[in-house]
Amino acid sequence: MHEATLTIGQLADRSGVAPSALRYYERLGLISAARTGGNQRRYARTELRRVAFVRISQQVGVSLDEIREALDSLPAGRTPTPEDWAALSRAWRDRLDERIRLLGKLRDDLDGCIGCGCLSLQRCTLYNPGDSLAAEGPGARLVLPRD
Amino acid sequence: MHEATLTIGQLADRSGVAPSALRYYERLGLISAARTGGNQRRYARTELRRVAFVRISQQVGVSLDEIREALDSLPAGRTPTPEDWAALSRAWRDRLDERIRLLGKLRDDLDGCIGCGCLSLQRCTLYNPGDSLAAEGPGARLVLPRD
DNA sequence: CCTTGAGGTGAAGTTCGCTTGAGGTTCGAG
DNA sequence: CTCGAACCTCAAGCGAACTTCACCTCAAGG
């Protein structure tokens, strides 16, 4: 046990990601593997980190394509250091903050609507943020944040 | 102006939702419309509230299918009161709180990882929550919250 | 040696939330 | 009455993120 490399099944068990998904990730260039003489994948243990980073990034709401770009920025040639990984994580941190902020605002707005019992097109900030729509004729337009 | 009903184009402009999406919502049973003699849709103004509720619910992370279920729980026959809408909004409130909590936890965990510079499979709570995996043999399994 | 289960490939299928396209109809201003 | 914009339906397409399928090979235990 504790061998140098992992089979796809082992990586799947360890990461909680299905083998089919791991192959898919490989096609997208998110992870990579050496091959045995019989063409089977053998993963370096460091790939586990990459898989982990992928899943965490997805939770943050990043697309696989963007995750690939981020992973591409890791130093080629040498095994990424902890500091390399930390740098990537920091990049996501801001996005995470922003998402949390947006959801918080949504919750507050929703609270406001519950408070006034309205969901009203006339008064609710969810519908008529800053009354900025009044100039465009009668009736509010529903404008929700694009992201 | 300020007529009793809205054409699909008017509802689209007011709600910020494309006509094609509104037709799609109708197929799913999220909204409904009367028809003119010439088969064109005419929306009651209250449909604007339904559309708004749909978009807000999507922001909360609810699927169209669940939104339909929620809308189905509105009283049939009479126009929903503000209190009816408030009840629906309250139901989402908990989900929103939960999502915010999860993202917050993810952020904290990510902070921890940045702090220790690790993304380590041995130490990081993101990977080995509560050390509960130690019993299942050597090596941690990546376990992220299902939702 | 034989079997069995893990692995491999490529193509096609799935779900979600819409959009696009083709081809035809209706509405309302002039 | 005419004309163009807006509307209609139905079917197909799209992109993301995978899974499933058919079919074939490889690796290890009895």
Side-chain angles (χ1 to χ4, degrees):
Chain A
M1 60 192 64
H2 208 75
E3 287 131 43
T5 60
L6 301 169
T7 67
I8 196 169
Q10 290 169 332
L11 183 58
D13 287 347
R14 289 297 178 90
S15 66
V17 176
S20 61
L22 292 173
R23 296 194 191 98
Y24 177 67
Y25 289 169
E26 183 175 318
R27 280 222 315 283
L28 297 191
L30 295 171
I31 59 177
S32 61
R35 297 298 182 117
T36 65
N39 199 35
Q40 296 197 352
R41 290 171 179 82
R42 285 303 120 92
Y43 294 95
R45 305 195 133 264
T46 56
E47 292 304 289
L48 203 35
R49 260 190 193 75
R50 290 179 77 98
V51 176
F53 181 76
V54 169
R55 300 305 268 198
I56 289 169
S57 302
Q58 285 188 303
Q59 300 263 319
V60 180
V62 182
S63 72
L64 292 183
D65 207 56
E66 286 182 288
I67 297 172
R68 188 188 44 69
E69 284 175 30
L71 285 171
D72 283 350
S73 79
L74 283 175
R78 68 175 167 77
T79 300
T81 65
E83 180 49 42
D84 291 329
W85 289 113
L88 286 195
S89 299
R90 265 190 296 273
W92 283 181
R93 167 73 207 244
D94 287 345
R95 304 182 60 140
L96 199 42
D97 282 343
E98 179 60 10
R99 275 170 61 80
I100 290 172
R101 197 187 62 72
L102 276 176
L103 283 182
K105 175 169 176 358
L106 182 58
R107 179 180 57 187
D108 293 344
D109 289 347
L110 207 47
D111 274 354
C113 281
I114 293 172
C116 72
C118 66
L119 274 167
S120 154
L121 294 171
Q122 264 70 51
R123 289 178 303 273
C124 180
T125 62
L126 268 172
Y127 293 73
N128 197 352
D131 265 66
S132 54
L133 300 166
E136 301 183 35
R141 271 145 217 83
L142 171 58
V143 180
L144 293 173
R146 270 290 142 226
D147 182 33
Chain B
M1 58 195 63
H2 207 77
E3 289 132 40
T5 61
L6 301 169
T7 67
I8 196 169
Q10 290 169 333
L11 183 59
D13 287 347
R14 288 297 179 91
S15 67
V17 175
S20 59
L22 293 174
R23 295 194 191 97
Y24 178 67
Y25 289 169
E26 184 175 318
R27 280 223 312 284
L28 298 190
L30 296 171
I31 58 177
S32 61
R35 298 296 181 120
T36 66
N39 199 35
Q40 297 198 351
R41 290 171 180 83
R42 285 303 120 93
Y43 294 95
R45 303 191 77 79
T46 57
E47 291 304 290
L48 203 33
R49 261 191 191 76
R50 290 178 78 98
V51 175
F53 181 76
V54 170
R55 301 304 267 196
I56 289 169
S57 303
Q58 284 187 304
Q59 301 262 320
V60 178
V62 182
S63 71
L64 292 184
D65 207 55
E66 285 182 287
I67 296 171
R68 187 187 43 70
E69 284 176 30
L71 285 171
D72 282 351
S73 78
L74 282 175
R78 67 175 167 77
T79 300
T81 64
E83 180 48 42
D84 292 328
W85 289 113
L88 286 195
S89 299
R90 265 191 296 273
W92 282 182
R93 167 74 207 244
D94 287 344
R95 302 183 61 140
L96 199 41
D97 282 344
E98 179 61 9
R99 273 171 62 80
I100 290 173
R101 197 189 62 74
L102 277 176
L103 283 182
K105 174 167 175 4
L106 183 58
R107 179 180 57 188
D108 293 343
D109 288 347
L110 206 48
D111 275 354
C113 281
I114 293 171
C116 72
C118 65
L119 273 169
S120 154
L121 295 170
Q122 265 70 53
R123 290 178 303 273
C124 181
T125 62
L126 267 172
Y127 294 72
N128 199 351
D131 264 65
S132 54
L133 300 166
E136 302 184 33
R141 271 146 216 83
L142 171 58
V143 179
L144 293 174
R146 271 287 143 233
D147 186 26

